[in-house]
Amino acid sequence: IAGITQAPTSQILAAGRRMTLRCTQDMRHNAMYWYRQDLGLGLRLIHYSNTAGTTGKGEVPDGYSVSRANTDDFPLTLASAVPSQTSVYFCASSDFDMGEQFFGPGTRLTVL
Amino acid sequence: GQNIDQPTEMTATEGAIVQINCTYQTSGFNGLFWYQQHAGEAPTFLSYNVLDGLEEKGRFSSFLSRSKGYSYLLLKELQMKDSASYLCAVLDSNYQLIWGAGTKLIIKP
């Protein structure tokens, strides 16, 4: 693989279910990010990680959790999905926490 | 609060020039990015400005005035493939990117 991959591409989920969105990068970037993108709004940061083993909260962290066990993987978990979490989710990475961010193809999530 | 403003939508003609403006009010400033996002795809990096002035890269140029909290993206010799959303983002004092809602650019033949 080259760049960032996300899985699944799309998902329809019943409210209350648990869901993990996967993100893997092979660029050995230190920093990784999770965003959600909703129509009419800018990208909003959910959680970030500046390096393996550390994570931080972004603008809209409630209802989401992340982990960063290694450099390459940065999964995002919705513990109990709600309809307001219907969105397109993008994972991104950068070489350092000030640099150009590279984005994955996105996951389109619908919570019913 | 932090705020980034861009026009919601613009229309231009193939072969012409278009300027997309971005104004920002953020807690600190560590640079401004422009990204392009085609419908249904991920954003891709276009430019980065941290000092005042114009940065030129082929058909695309980006300008920054830190004192005015203002940037613009200039696209020349427009092509149909330039139809996309253009996102302005500012790196704030915490080194987090604050994103504008994006400008949808429609190119007409």
Side-chain angles (χ1 to χ4, degrees):
Chain A
I1 57 174
I4 301 183
T5 59
Q6 293 184 235
T9 302
S10 65
Q11 182 75 45
I12 299 174
L13 190 65
R17 296 296 296 269
R18 180 183 179 90
M19 175 74 190
T20 295
L21 307 185
R22 300 184 299 279
C23 174
T24 299
Q25 55 105 355
D26 67 354
M27 297 177 283
R28 308 302 294 171
H29 284 171
N30 289 321
M32 296 187 75
Y33 314 85
W34 273 106
Y35 292 95
R36 60 178 290 173
Q37 187 175 40
D38 302 291
L39 198 62
L41 300 177
L43 287 160
R44 291 184 292 169
L45 183 65
I46 304 170
H47 285 286
Y48 66 94
S49 169
N50 288 332
T51 189
T54 69
T55 63
K57 294 181 179 180
E59 180 186 357
V60 289
D62 294 343
Y64 306 94
S65 64
V66 292
S67 61
R68 187 89 184 275
N70 57 60
T71 298
D72 299 344
D73 301 300
F74 191 43
L76 176 74
T77 297
L78 289 68
S80 179
V82 295
S84 62
Q85 292 177 313
T86 293
S87 188
V88 179
Y89 290 85
F90 286 103
C91 179
S93 71
S94 64
D95 197 15
F96 52 98
D97 59 6
M98 293 173 58
E100 169 194 351
Q101 293 185 11
F102 295 83
F103 286 79
T107 294
R108 184 174 296 274
L109 182 68
T110 303
V111 182
L112 301 176
Chain B
Q2 308 204 88
N3 194 51
I4 296 185
D5 287 318
Q6 327 178 215
T8 302
E9 186 174 297
M10 299 181 70
T11 301
T13 304
E14 190 177 15
I17 298 173
V18 70
Q19 177 176 309
I20 302 174
N21 296 325
C22 171
T23 58
Y24 62 89
Q25 290 180 310
T26 56
S27 58
F29 179 85
N30 285 298
L32 185 144
F33 292 80
W34 283 97
Y35 280 76
Q36 180 189 60
Q37 185 177 25
H38 286 100
E41 298 183 7
T44 56
F45 170 80
L46 286 178
S47 68
Y48 171 67
N49 294 69
V50 65
L51 300 177
D52 289 352
L54 188 68
E55 294 279 343
E56 297 185 78
K57 190 184 294 185
R59 294 189 298 115
F60 292 7
S61 302
S62 56
F63 171 83
L64 175 67
S65 168
R66 289 172 297 172
S67 63
K68 295 182 179 178
Y70 168 70
S71 172
Y72 67 73
L73 181 69
L74 190 72
L75 291 74
K76 303 176 184 176
E77 301 170 14
L78 286 170
Q79 302 175 11
M80 297 303 292
K81 68 178 182 179
D82 297 329
S83 292
S85 288
Y86 292 85
L87 313 180
C88 174
V90 171
L91 201 60
D92 72 5
S93 57
N94 293 318
Y95 295 102
Q96 288 193 1
L97 272 180
I98 309 300
W99 295 82
T103 299
K104 182 178 181 179
L105 178 62
I106 299 168
I107 310 296
K108 295 185 175 180

